[in-house]
């Protein structure tokens, strides 16, 4: 839809675990932007928050035999952009530093946490699953990621992270993060 909205989930268990997640859709009327706010407590003590993004973007294979561009991790860490294939993620899954953004992309779409050069840790994992109804042995490949803002610091009351999840349309990327738009424009000009 085109309107903004908020959705909140809370959990409180008998063993003292308490968690809260709030999703703010289209904050400041920004297309494809979702703000995630989360907090976790155990017996009244704040705990670090990790935001997990499941395997995604794209179909993970070429259903019609056309050229296929697999999803890959993308991150801007310590002033440099890196794109990581599934093989690269198998060799090194964890990255930490001053992150402007971190997430996954395919040929047409991108899903990234917009961290504004804050300290963070990203953990990537390749995911391979069978193609539903596909030929014997046919698989789909994705990359999932988990993000821990401000690793090593004392947990704060609430972690708030904006995400861009949408098509690689220059104006929408620029509105979310000018550097993200610049990297995708350079890549399409090559």
């Amino acid at each position: 839809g085109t309107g903004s909205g908020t959705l909140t989930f809370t959990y409180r268990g008998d063993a003292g675990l308490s968690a809260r997640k709030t999703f703010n859709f289209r904050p400041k009327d920004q297309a494809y932007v979702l703000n995630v706010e989360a907090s976790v407590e155990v017996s009244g003590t704040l705990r670090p928050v990790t935001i997990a993004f499941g395997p995604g973007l794209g179909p993970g294979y070429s259903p019609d035999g056309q050229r296929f561009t697999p999803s890959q991790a993308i991150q801007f860490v310590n002033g440099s952009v890196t794109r990581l294939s599934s093989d690269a993620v198998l060799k090194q899954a964890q990255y930490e530093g001053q992150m402007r953004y971190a997430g996954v992309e395919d040929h047409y779409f991108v899903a990234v946490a917009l961290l504004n050069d804050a300290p963070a840790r990203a953990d990537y994992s390749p995911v391979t699953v069978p193609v539903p109804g596909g030929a014997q042995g046919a698989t789909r490949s994705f990359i999932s990621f988990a993000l821990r803002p401000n690793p090593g610091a004392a947990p704060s009351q609430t972690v708030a992270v904006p995400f861009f999840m949408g098509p690689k349309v220059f104006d929408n990327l620029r509105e979310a993060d000018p550097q993200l738009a610049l990297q995708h424009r350079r890549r399409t000009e090559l």
Side-chain angles (χ1 to χ4, degrees), residues 76-144:
F76 190 107
V77 181
N78 299 327
S80 178
V81 174
T82 307
R83 287 177 168 83
L84 305 161
S85 68
S86 291
D87 289 341
V89 167
L90 283 173
K91 292 176 185 162
Q92 181 180 346
Q94 187 177 94
Y95 294 83
E96 193 169 323
Q98 298 299 117
M99 293 193 175
R100 185 166 185 112
Y101 54 81
V104 294
E105 69 175 352
D106 72 0
H107 188 69
Y108 298 105
F109 296 93
V110 63
V112 292
L114 302 170
L115 298 157
N116 200 25
D117 294 319
R121 185 180 84 207
D123 295 281
Y124 300 99
S125 178
V127 178
T128 302
V129 296
V131 174
Q136 183 70 23
T139 60
R140 304 186 310 166
S141 298
F142 303 97
I143 294 179
S144 65

Side-chain angles (χ1 to χ4, degrees), residues 9 75 79 83 144-145 171:
F9 297 93
Q75 59 186 13
R83 287 177 168 83
S144 65
F145 72 98
D171 289 341

Side-chain angles (χ1 to χ4, degrees), residues 37-59:
E37 297 174 6
S39 62
V40 176
E41 291 183 21
V42 177
S43 300
T45 302
L46 289 168
R47 306 297 300 165
V49 172
T50 298
I51 300 169
F53 192 97
L57 296 177

